[in-house]
Every structure is written in C-alpha cells, then in structure tokens.
Amino acid sequence: PTPVLAYAIRHLGAVAGVEVTASHNPPRDNGYKVYLGDGSQIVPPADGEIAAAIAAVGPLGGVVRPEDGWETLGEEVLDAYLARTDAVLASGSPRTARTVYTAMHGVGTSVLTAAFARAGFPEPVLVAEQAEPDPAFPTVAFPNPEEPGAMDLAFATARRAAPDLIIANDPDADRCAVAVPDASVEGGWRMLRGDEVGALLAAHLVERGASGVFAESIVSSSLLGRIAEKAGLGYEETLTGFKWIARVDGLRYGYEEALGYCVDPEGVRDKDGITAALLVAELASVLKEQGRTLLDLLDDLALAHGLHATDQLSVRVEDLSVIADAMARLREQPPTSLAGLAVTSAEDLSRGTDKLPPTDGLRYQLEGARVIVRPSGTEPKLKCYLEAVVPVADAAGLPAARARGAELLAGIKRDLATAAGI
C-alpha cells in the first residue's frame, strides 16, 4: 500500500520514495507517485526538476542498466508500520464494530486485516470477488469507490452479512470509503461522502481530546473549520492534494473530500486508508456501545454547526480543450447567481491569494453556498465542488434542511453547467 511506502521513507531515513500504481484510475492510467525524504509527496519546484531530469535522459536504449546495487527488503518494514497503526486508537476503546471490506482488486486486504486483528476488531467479511490483487480490475470500470457501480459487490456482500458498516480502499489503499445501513435508500446501504467521513473523524478526535491543527483542501467542506473553531483548535486550508495538507505546521488531522484522511501525521504524512479504516471502526464501535450510529452523529453535527450539504459536478472528457474552453468561459463571463443565490465574490485562484499559491481554479462565494471549479490533476476531468449550508433549529427541522440542501445543490449544478458550457 502507498501509505506503507510513505511510512517507510521516514522509518528508514530514505531520501525519496517511488510508488508505481494506477491508484484509483483505470489500468491504462498506471503511473507513479514520488515522495521526498520528509515522507510527503513532491511539490514545486521538485516536480519540475525531476521532469527535466527525466527529459534529459534520452532514449532508453542508451541507458546503462546495472545488475546489482539495491537491497530487497523483507517484512520488517511492514511489521513496523502495523505496529505503528495501534497509535491511532485510544487505549481501551471499544472494538466491536463488524465490517464488510473490499480492497477493490488492490493491495489492501492483507495489511488491513492484519491491522484489524492486531487491534482486536472482529475479522472483516471480505468481498471475495475483489479481495486479491488484480491489475486488470475485472469487476469495476473504475476502481474508485466514488464511481457508480464500484461498490455494488460490497453492498451485495453486506446484505448477506449484515455488518455495522462497509469499508473500502482504493487499489493502492491510501483512500478509505465508508457505507452505512440506511433503510430509507434503495438496497438498504448508503455511501457516506468524503466530507461526511472527514467531519465524523474530526468530531471523534475532538471527543478524544486531540490537540494541534486540523487541515483540509479548499475543495473540502467548510464544516471542518467550524468543528475546529468550536474545539479551540488550529485550522488551515490548502490547495488540493495531500502534498499540501501534509506540510501544514503542527498538523494533527487532515482530510480531503476525495476519500483521503491523514489520522497519524507523525507516522504517515499522506492519506492512509488503513489507519483511517481503523479510526472509523473505533468510532462506529464507540457509538454502537451507546446504541447510536454514524448517521446519528452526523445529525448532531448538523444541529451544532448547520447542515453542510456537498456534491460534485464532474465531467470526463476525451478532448482536453473542452476543459480549457470551460475555464476560459467562466473567467470571461463569471456567473452572477447560481440556484437563485447571489454570487458575492468570484476569485481567480490562478492569481494566488494571501494564503494560497497560484493554481488553475475558480472560487465563488454565494449567500449560503460555495463553488470551486478546477481541472483534475490526475484525470481528464473538469471538477466542480459544491457546498450549501442550511441552518437547522432542531432535530425536527433536519428533513426539511436536507431537502433544501439537495435542492440548492441541484440548482447550482444545473446553472453552473450552463455557465461553463458543459
């Protein structure tokens, strides 16, 4: 798993690390992730310097290939990582939550099940069709738990096994998805959004007395900032990606809406789907002992901070010029209102801000909502991140607030697509 590499760099005192992976993308998108000696992913100017060095190499046929000069490590690094995973759990905490788990044809199964066994959780029920590594990802079009259909086998397994929750990793196991029983939805199981899991883990860490800084990328829900403020904790926003989140001074917890959570920054300075799964299982166990669920805690957070509803408009393209044209259109003719909400500010993030370096993106603040538009850094997609915040007076008002949040998000999505010409 990618987080084991990120851990190993610091554990071994290495100067860099390289992970070859398709991550959560189709097999043809295989590539590699590069880390430097602090255990976090590269940022400028290192990325440009590495790219220039690659370009200077010339034809592969002229490269001398050595026969030796390396060491193949045994299991000791993995054992050290697994020993470190215990650090994310509270001593003596409940460990009763029952899970269904899928590795999505990736490398997570053996490591996650070993971590759960060490911690004393019930053995996860595996989604058998997806438990073993298979680089062809045969049961899914995209091996990303967020993609439609990717979790169908996990849902089917859960309907047979009746666990407390479903946990999924992407193939390189740095992302963690969570689904919960919900009788109100077809099939009886609901995927939690990354923003929901991010808030749940933050609330759990606050309840455990965490100190330090909570951080997230600008495309993630503003709810984290409200949780941190109420708890008297530091809070930072960064550009998209854990290469930025991991560099926040004093970081205690970081998350990104795309199912990434850093719950042990001293051990792994990157998102880690294994330790995040452990922390989710601990939280579910604590709530189970109280006769409550993750959905109950989400209700509590909505009552305390307002209902934060999030969604994404994501457009996959064959021709990258479609993305460039949409960004240009929005820059030239920024919307003045979306879903009937006035746009109160429009920022072109390519110019940078007082807190953020320049990036290709646009940010709109609305009366009770927020929108960020950016090209994906890893896929041929234009991604638009939407959030609506609806006040809630009491528990009786939650259904109406959810309906209003969904209505606003649908309207924003519709109007933004029109404005961008997509």
Side-chain angles (χ1 to χ4, degrees):
T2 294
V4 178
L5 170 75
Y7 168 81
I9 294 165
R10 290 164 60 81
H11 177 68
L12 297 171
V15 298
V18 172
E19 178 88 2
V20 180
T21 176
S23 187
H24 58 289
N25 299 311
R28 65 180 179 273
D29 289 347
N30 203 35
Y32 66 79
K33 300 178 179 180
V34 184
Y35 296 76
L36 294 183
D38 63 353
S40 55
Q41 293 190 44
I42 55 172
V43 295
D47 54 356
E49 294 168 352
I50 292 170
I54 291 170
V57 168
L60 182 61
V63 177
V64 178
R65 302 177 67 187
E67 299 295 329
D68 56 27
W70 54 81
E71 175 188 357
T72 300
L73 299 175
E75 295 295 302
E76 61 274 10
V77 171
L78 180 57
D79 292 341
Y81 168 82
L82 286 170
R84 175 80 196 185
T85 61
D86 298 346
V88 305
L89 301 174
S91 177
S93 62
R95 314 280 168 91
T96 57
R98 296 166 49 253
T99 61
V100 158
Y101 171 72
T102 176
M104 208 68 69
H105 298 298
V107 296
T109 296
S110 62
V111 181
L112 181 133
T113 54
F116 270 54
R118 283 183 60 95
F121 286 103
E123 182 179 358
V125 175
L126 302 181
V127 178
E129 302 92 331
Q130 298 174 335
E132 297 301 318
D134 187 335
F137 309 139
T139 68
V140 290
F142 293 90
N144 179 351
E146 293 179 298
E147 292 284 347
M151 293 291 289
D152 286 355
L153 288 170
F155 292 150
T157 303
R159 284 191 282 271
R160 294 192 299 269
D164 297 303
L165 70 165
I166 300 171
I167 290 175
N169 288 142
D170 67 336
D172 69 329
D174 60 354
R175 297 172 189 242
C176 178
V178 180
V180 295
D182 187 344
S184 69
V185 301
E186 184 178 353
W189 283 86
R190 176 165 84 84
M191 281 284 291
L192 297 182
R193 301 192 66 85
D195 283 320
E196 292 176 313
V197 177
L200 287 169
L201 291 179
H204 183 44
L205 290 171
V206 166
E207 182 67 22
R208 280 180 28 183
S211 60
V213 177
F214 283 13
E216 65 180 340
S217 62
I218 58 173
V219 300
S220 304
S221 172
S222 61
L223 177 55
L224 183 69
R226 300 192 181 196
I227 292 171
E229 181 182 15
K230 186 172 182 179
L233 298 175
Y235 169 73
E236 293 288 341
E237 276 191 321
T238 74
L239 293 183
T240 307
F242 269 82
K243 61 187 179 182
W244 301 108
I245 294 172
R247 286 178 161 79
V248 169
D249 288 340
L251 180 67
R252 173 59 185 88
Y253 169 65
Y255 100 91
E256 190 158 68
E257 56 78 41
L259 310 182
Y261 315 95
C262 176
V263 300
D264 178 24
E266 289 304 308
V268 177
R269 292 194 179 181
D270 197 16
K271 56 187 178 291
D272 182 346
I274 305 296
T275 50
L278 285 170
L279 201 61
V280 168
E282 180 184 63
L283 173 57
S285 299
V286 169
L287 293 169
K288 185 178 181 180
E289 298 286 299
Q290 301 168 356
R292 306 177 72 236
T293 68
L294 296 175
L295 295 180
D296 292 328
L297 182 52
L298 285 173
D299 286 350
D300 292 349
L301 292 173
L303 292 172
H305 305 287
L307 178 79
H308 288 61
T310 60
D311 200 359
Q312 190 180 126
L313 171 61
S314 181
V315 181
R316 184 178 291 271
V317 302
E318 295 294 331
D319 180 359
L320 291 177
S321 68
V322 173
I323 295 176
D325 290 347
M327 294 296 290
R329 179 170 174 161
L330 288 171
R331 285 188 167 104
E332 291 163 8
Q333 301 175 16
T336 57
S337 70
L338 296 168
L341 302 178
V343 176
T344 56
S345 71
E347 294 176 275
D348 186 343
L349 298 177
S350 67
R351 299 169 184 163
T353 72
D354 57 345
K355 293 185 177 181
L356 299 171
T359 188
D360 187 9
L362 301 165
R363 178 163 60 182
Y364 304 112
Q365 299 290 348
L366 295 85
E367 295 175 349
R370 183 214 66 198
V371 174
I372 294 174
V373 184
R374 60 179 283 272
S376 169
T378 57
E379 302 173 86
K381 283 182 177 181
L382 180 67
K383 304 184 86 168
C384 310
Y385 305 84
L386 323 175
E387 179 176 47
V389 182
V390 183
V392 190
D394 51 39
L398 281 169
R402 288 201 177 88
R404 175 57 176 161
E407 177 188 17
L408 286 172
L409 291 175
I412 293 170
K413 188 182 292 189
R414 179 192 63 239
D415 293 350
L416 185 63
T418 301
I422 53 176

